[in-house]
Every structure is written in C-alpha cells, then in structure tokens.
Amino acid sequence: MYWVMFSERKNEQDAILSGVPALIEDLDLEFDQGIHITGSLPVIEYEVEEDDEFNNLTDSLVAPGFNGILGNERVVKALRDLGANNIQEFPVLLKSINNDQNCSDYMLINVIGDADIIDYDKSDISLFESGNVRSIDSLSFIDTSNITLHYIFRLSSCLPIVIAHDKVKQAFEANNITGFTFYKPEEFSL
C-alpha cells in the first residue's frame, strides 16, 4: 500500500519556516521535482525570520520555501535503513534558532524519481490542460502490486507530492519520527 506523505504541523507549537534560503533562491534550486541534483553544494544556511515559529522542532519541519523535505538525521537514517536509494541529502544550518543557537541537525532531502499511480477514473481531482493536477478532493491509486516502485517517490502529475510505501510509514512510526502525516489516498485533499 502507498500513502501520501506530507510534512505537516500537528499543533501550533511545531516549528514552521516561512522563508527561502538564499542559496536556493540564488541558484534557483528545486528539490521537489524528482530530479537528481548534480554537483556539490555548500551548506544551505537559513537565518531564522521574524515570522518563523520555533517552539518545537519536529523531525521534519514544515518549510515550503526549501522546495523539498527538511528532515533531520533520524528521517534520513530510517529511509536509508529501508533501502531507499533514491534520495539525496544536503546539509542545512539553521541559524539563530533557539536562544540564538545554530542547529546543524537537518538535511534537505531530495526525493529522486516519480511515477503516475493515480487512478483517474476513481479519483476526484481537477487537472490543468497540461494534465497536471490542479486540485485534489480525493485520490485513488491504481493496483501497484505488479509494478516495481521505490519506497518513496514523487507523484508525476503533481511533483511536490511525495508518495511513500507502507514500510516507510511503519519505519517512521516504529522510530517515533515526527512532523509527517501519512494520508490514505482517498482522505487526501489539496
């Protein structure tokens, strides 16, 4: 079974980053397109902004401006232990976080690869003329039992959405990894 994996706050105390790191903006980097990033990058630094909230640091932080999954070492380890070989990690330095301390525990995780597993006849979605997803009221996936897929990948027609195998969900739950919500496809809306 596959789930929609979403970085999401569980309560108002969970941290959220609202800005875009200068390096990502300057180099126009996209970590949410399912494409391998080539070359080496320096540490991605992010200076905490006035409207960022830092009460509770979860294992995955809601950070839309990072264009990828901002997760700590526990997230990366759980994925690597499963055999997820289609991810890249880029070090992140969060500056002036708790009491003006710096935090280097996080990585920007690039999920490489995508697949289109939407059952369009059974899903309640609207599409752009290009065929990409405009909005989702409910998803349904095709039978994937005879398809070779990664444990984690992006949805082809809506690349920012990450799809995760049930083994990822189980591993995250077993390791008490926080900051993610796993949605059954039919319960996910966007």
Side-chain angles (χ1 to χ4, degrees):
M1 174 176 184
Y2 281 91
W3 301 79
V4 176
M5 186 175 100
F6 211 70
S7 292
E8 192 169 66
R9 295 169 73 182
K10 299 289 185 192
N11 60 61
E12 290 183 18
Q13 280 67 48
D14 291 349
I16 185 169
L17 305 178
S18 56
V20 179
L23 182 71
I24 291 174
E25 194 166 54
D26 293 346
L27 298 179
D28 195 26
L29 296 170
E30 296 183 357
F31 298 90
D32 60 357
Q33 299 298 300
I35 300 170
H36 180 80
I37 305 292
T38 58
S40 61
L41 295 177
V43 172
I44 300 168
E45 295 184 3
Y46 179 79
E47 185 81 33
V48 173
E49 296 185 355
E50 193 173 292
D51 45 340
D52 288 336
E53 299 174 25
F54 274 101
N55 296 323
N56 182 32
L57 293 176
T58 52
D59 295 313
S60 172
L61 300 179
V62 175
F66 281 69
N67 295 328
I69 298 172
L70 184 58
N72 63 16
E73 296 283 342
R74 291 169 27 86
V75 174
V76 172
K77 182 178 181 339
L79 290 171
R80 290 287 181 202
D81 286 352
L82 273 175
N85 58 2
N86 63 320
I87 60 172
Q88 290 178 284
E89 309 98 41
F90 299 92
V92 173
L93 176 64
L94 301 175
K95 299 173 84 174
S96 303
I97 186 167
N98 291 329
N99 299 318
D100 288 328
Q101 299 292 312
N102 291 341
C103 177
S104 59
D105 296 340
Y106 287 86
M107 305 282 235
L108 185 50
I109 302 167
N110 182 33
V111 177
I112 303 164
D114 61 273
D116 188 4
I117 61 168
I118 295 176
D119 185 328
Y120 289 93
D121 293 330
K122 294 180 181 175
S123 296
D124 186 4
I125 59 176
S126 65
L127 303 173
F128 291 106
E129 287 183 24
S130 65
N132 289 335
V133 172
R134 176 191 310 239
S135 66
I136 300 170
D137 288 320
S138 174
L139 280 176
S140 182
F141 293 155
I142 60 172
D143 178 9
T144 58
S145 58
N146 293 322
I147 303 172
T148 303
L149 295 167
H150 290 285
Y151 285 122
I152 185 170
F153 58 89
R154 294 194 172 278
L155 195 58
S156 298
S157 55
C158 191
L159 289 169
I161 294 179
V162 174
I163 306 299
H165 190 275
D166 194 53
K167 288 185 179 186
V168 173
K169 180 180 183 290
Q170 290 173 17
F172 282 21
E173 288 172 350
N175 289 291
N176 296 313
I177 292 176
T178 59
F180 291 104
T181 301
F182 289 86
Y183 287 96
K184 291 181 180 178
E186 60 273 13
E187 295 174 358
F188 181 73
S189 62
L190 181 67

